Amino acid sequence: MIRSSASSRIEENPIHSESDVSLPRRAIIAGGGLAGASLGYHLLKSGMKEVILFEKEELPGLHSSGRNAAMVRQITPDEELSRLARKGVQGLLEIGKQIEELDGSTEFFDQRGSLLLASGIHCEALQSDVKASKTAGLKVDDWSHQETTQRFPFLSSANFQRAAFCPSDGVVDVARLLDFYLRSIREFEGQVFFQKTIDEIRSSQNGFEAVRVNDEWIEGDLFINAAGGWASQLASLAGLAELPLNPTRRHLFVSPPRIDIPSDLPFIWDTTKEIYFRPEAGGILISACDITEVGELLEDDRVHPEIFDLLKGKIDSQFPALEDLAIKKGWSGVRTLTADGRFVIGEDPRLNGFFWMAGLGGHGVTTSYSVGELGAQLILGQVDPALNLHSPARFLSNGKSSSLRLTEELPRSVL
């Protein structure tokens, strides 16, 4: 049962004065992945009184958040995304401390590092990204092919010229991360429901009013659209034309154990051909960084056979040592991309109280903490919306969706 709303009375908010009556009192979140769970956590942590999160599946992160490579990467070509990534890592470290205090586990965030590789004209781009990251205070080593293979002999036959090693990157236990956010929401007396579908959104000229969930109307004064690949469909229930969000799929594969894979190898990402791999259960987890159209059914996560040819071509080109790679299993996950590579975070100018938290485009694991914090700060009036580089308003013209659409020329920052 949904607990009674406190939205009918003005309650004290520890961050704002009692006279500030414009702040929302009850937030309804659609989506139990990293984006929605992190925002719910930050809202309650910051003093919001009521948060109700609805997830349509029986488990959180079933289609996207829980079906990625779990890698944390802070070096990107976009300074804003890199900033959020660095803040995200600090948040992950703090979460790790809390998990260790809770159960003694130290395996939440394995900071084994990342190794980004480049060849030809891509070397200049990588070195530019490294320079910007160093200027921002990130520790990064810039190595030649020889310097890299002296440290990691496994890569002696790999096709690259320059490498960037970031020791504070690594691999996160995504299941534990999601569990931390959702468990914290409940500890803050928020509510989390699974297998609950939002069928209708009611609004008036004043803005968002309520959602219908399994024939029950739930009132609120803030609706947060954190539905990932389903975000546009959900917005249509509120009568909003879609934003340029493009749900795509990325395939990942796991090999059987191999004796030639060092267990302490950082994750390797070739930025020239876009292929990455990392150690996994004695073998490797590998992806050809495909951007595959999802088709009519977003829930269809079957492996597309043509991806094997794409993967083989990239392996043969960049990592000959893996040319005999066998595949034990594979899957795909939804990654929702925007036309400019940045996120969609903020209130929709067309409908008061309708807040977007979508389009993380593969950065969710790295930035979940920082984007949740940003979303909460925007909602609670702690950040000037005019300074928000991820506002949905950038895609709108005169209150209508712009014609900007995703093209083949994606920003290099898309992971």
Side-chain angles (χ1 to χ4, degrees), residues 257-372:
R258 294 173 60 103
I259 61 173
D260 59 340
I261 303 296
S263 60
D264 61 348
L265 195 69
F267 72 76
I268 311 296
W269 194 311
D270 181 87
T271 64
T272 301
K273 294 294 185 179
E274 292 295 338
I275 175 174
Y276 63 70
F277 66 90
R278 65 169 176 82
E280 173 73 12
I284 63 170
L285 181 149
I286 190 167
S287 175
C289 297
D290 58 299
I291 302 174
T292 303
E293 294 299 320
V294 296
E296 295 183 0
L297 187 62
L298 270 172
E299 291 85 355
D300 185 1
D301 59 0
R302 290 175 296 179
V303 172
H304 292 228
E306 65 269 19
I307 303 302
F308 289 108
D309 291 334
L310 176 66
L311 180 62
K312 184 179 186 308
K314 291 187 177 185
I315 288 175
D316 291 348
S317 170
Q318 304 305 109
F319 301 108
L322 297 176
E323 63 182 1
D324 63 342
L325 186 71
I327 299 298
K328 181 173 66 173
K329 63 180 180 179
W331 66 91
S332 67
V334 176
R335 298 164 63 252
T336 304
L337 310 179
T338 63
D340 61 4
R342 288 188 175 172
F343 310 151
V344 181
I345 304 172
E347 188 174 50
D348 195 304
R350 301 167 295 181
L351 181 61
N352 291 336
F354 190 99
F355 193 94
W356 290 84
M357 191 76 174
L360 300 191
H363 297 268
V365 172
T366 305
T367 67
S368 68
Y369 188 94
S370 54
V371 298

Side-chain angles (χ1 to χ4, degrees), residues 14 27 88 147 186 188 192 210 214 219 243 249 307 310 405:
E147 291 171 321
R186 292 188 173 107
F188 281 122
V192 177
N214 293 14
E219 294 183 348
L243 297 181
R249 288 198 169 277
I307 303 302
L310 176 66
R405 291 292 181 268

Side-chain angles (χ1 to χ4, degrees), residues 87-106:
K87 289 193 68 175
V89 166
Q90 296 308 307
L92 291 173
L93 291 172
E94 178 58 34
I95 291 173
K97 291 178 183 178
Q98 295 185 48
I99 289 176
E100 184 177 0
E101 291 173 0
L102 182 68
D103 61 14
S105 173
T106 60

Side-chain angles (χ1 to χ4, degrees), residues 28 54 198 200-201 208-213 216-218 223:
I28 296 173
F54 294 110
I198 293 175
E200 199 171 344
I201 297 175
F208 167 74
E209 291 185 341
V211 297
R212 184 170 63 83
V213 180
E216 180 182 3
W217 280 100
I218 313 299
F223 178 79

Side-chain angles (χ1 to χ4, degrees), residues 11-17 25 44-49:
E11 301 183 42
E12 181 180 357
N13 187 297
I15 297 176
H16 298 269
S17 67
R25 305 302 172 184
L44 289 163
K45 180 183 176 184
S46 299
M48 178 168 277
K49 298 300 182 183

Side-chain angles (χ1 to χ4, degrees), residues 16 22-24 39 43 46 48 222 344-347 355-357 370-392:
H16 298 269
S22 64
L23 294 175
L39 180 52
L43 284 172
S46 299
M48 178 168 277
L222 177 67
V344 181
I345 304 172
E347 188 174 50
F355 193 94
W356 290 84
M357 191 76 174
S370 54
V371 298
E373 182 179 57
L374 172 61
Q377 290 171 340
L378 287 164
I379 289 168
L380 298 173
Q382 299 169 345
V383 171
D384 184 352
L387 302 178
N388 176 22
L389 300 178
H390 306 276
S391 171

Side-chain angles (χ1 to χ4, degrees), residues 137-202:
L138 189 67
K139 178 175 171 51
V140 186
D141 293 315
D142 181 17
W143 296 334
S144 67
H145 187 285
Q146 181 178 1
E147 291 171 321
T148 305
T149 56
Q150 285 175 347
R151 294 168 173 83
F152 303 106
F154 173 77
L155 296 172
S156 59
S157 64
N159 180 16
F160 69 97
Q161 293 171 310
R162 303 295 306 181
F165 178 68
C166 180
S168 57
D169 284 350
V171 179
V172 163
D173 185 332
V174 177
R176 296 212 66 176
L177 179 59
L178 266 172
D179 176 72
F180 171 85
Y181 290 139
L182 296 171
R183 176 167 42 82
S184 297
I185 289 174
R186 292 188 173 107
E187 289 175 355
F188 281 122
E189 299 188 351
Q191 299 179 78
V192 177
F193 297 93
F194 293 99
Q195 293 182 293
K196 298 290 185 180
T197 301
I198 293 175
D199 299 309
E200 199 171 344
I201 297 175
R202 188 176 73 209

